[in-house]
Amino acid sequence: MMMWGLCLLCVVMGLAPVHAAPVKTAGSTEDVNVLMFGVIQFGESLNYVFETTEAKIARIAKTLNGHEGALRRLGEQTEQAAEVEKKIKEVIALLQDQISKQQAETKMTEGQLAHIQQEEMALWTKVRRLEMYLKSTSPTSIKDLQERTALNASILKGLQHLMQFQKQNMENHNQQILTLQKMSEAL
């Protein structure tokens, strides 16, 4: 719209000297026609430049809007990636904490198992001594010794069951530790 105003201004300016001066010859009318034709062509050129510039500006604005949308989506994806990374770090920390606890429980269980094994060995030693003592003692005290031996044997069996339970518990802890380690390595 502004471009048309500029074109009309140029046309009016080009015609102003023609009306102010008297027409002298036929050659000057031809000059005026040539000037008018030039002004019209100049106006059309300016209009074309205006329209193409306006179209270019519209394309640039559209491209910028597209880039802004892509940047916004990229920003959202970056935020999501940061959130996922934070959650992964939290999971790894939890897994490491669980692994530490499992390892501590395994060491404690190993210590208990070693203690039970020592007690078992001590009881077997006592049972052997009692058996040897039974062989060398009189028949009245043999009955007492047999009762003691039966009691010690039942205690020994109980300790064996407890030791077996502790071994199984330790194997379970070791398996859990391996599983947790594999999970933390996979992350």
Side-chain angles (χ1 to χ4, degrees):
M1 194 70 183
M2 185 177 170
M3 205 47 96
W4 281 110
L6 183 62
C7 289
L8 287 176
L9 179 66
C10 288
V11 168
V12 169
M13 300 250 326
L15 293 178
V18 172
H19 290 293
V23 177
K24 294 182 181 178
T25 62
S28 71
T29 304
E30 192 176 305
D31 288 342
V32 169
N33 287 338
V34 169
L35 281 175
M36 287 295 289
F37 181 72
V39 168
I40 291 171
Q41 288 217 342
F42 178 69
E44 288 176 355
S45 295
L46 284 177
N47 184 40
Y48 174 75
V49 168
F50 174 74
E51 288 175 357
T52 57
T53 304
E54 189 175 41
K56 287 178 184 177
I57 290 173
R59 283 194 307 267
I60 290 171
K62 185 178 178 181
T63 303
L64 283 175
N65 286 338
H67 288 307
E68 287 175 1
L71 284 173
R72 185 176 56 254
R73 287 189 301 275
L74 185 60
E76 290 170 358
Q77 290 173 353
T78 303
E79 289 176 9
Q80 290 172 353
E83 187 66 28
V84 167
E85 180 183 5
K86 180 182 173 185
K87 288 180 181 180
I88 287 173
K89 286 180 180 180
E90 289 173 358
V91 168
I92 288 174
L94 287 173
L95 286 173
Q96 289 174 341
D97 186 47
Q98 287 180 348
I99 287 172
S100 297
K101 288 178 182 178
Q102 290 291 331
Q103 287 174 337
E105 287 179 17
T106 299
K107 286 182 182 179
M108 185 179 73
T109 303
E110 287 174 347
Q112 290 174 346
L113 185 59
H115 181 71
I116 290 171
Q117 286 175 334
Q118 288 175 349
E119 287 182 4
E120 180 185 13
M121 294 300 290
L123 280 176
W124 276 114
T125 304
K126 286 180 182 179
V127 168
R128 288 186 192 121
R129 286 182 189 159
L130 284 174
E131 287 175 348
M132 292 175 71
Y133 180 73
L134 282 175
K135 290 179 183 177
S136 65
T137 59
S138 64
T140 57
S141 63
I142 290 176
K143 187 173 184 182
D144 290 336
L145 289 175
Q146 284 176 339
E147 288 174 3
R148 279 187 176 179
T149 303
L151 178 64
N152 285 338
S154 69
I155 291 172
L156 186 60
K157 283 183 182 181
L159 285 173
Q160 284 177 330
H161 287 297
L162 181 61
M163 185 175 76
Q164 195 64 23
F165 173 75
Q166 291 294 342
K167 278 184 181 179
Q168 184 65 38
N169 194 12
M170 189 173 72
E171 288 174 7
N172 289 342
H173 284 295
N174 286 335
Q175 186 62 37
Q176 288 175 350
I177 287 172
L178 287 174
T179 303
L180 290 173
Q181 286 174 338
K182 287 179 183 177
M183 287 173 60
S184 68
E185 289 172 2
L187 291 175

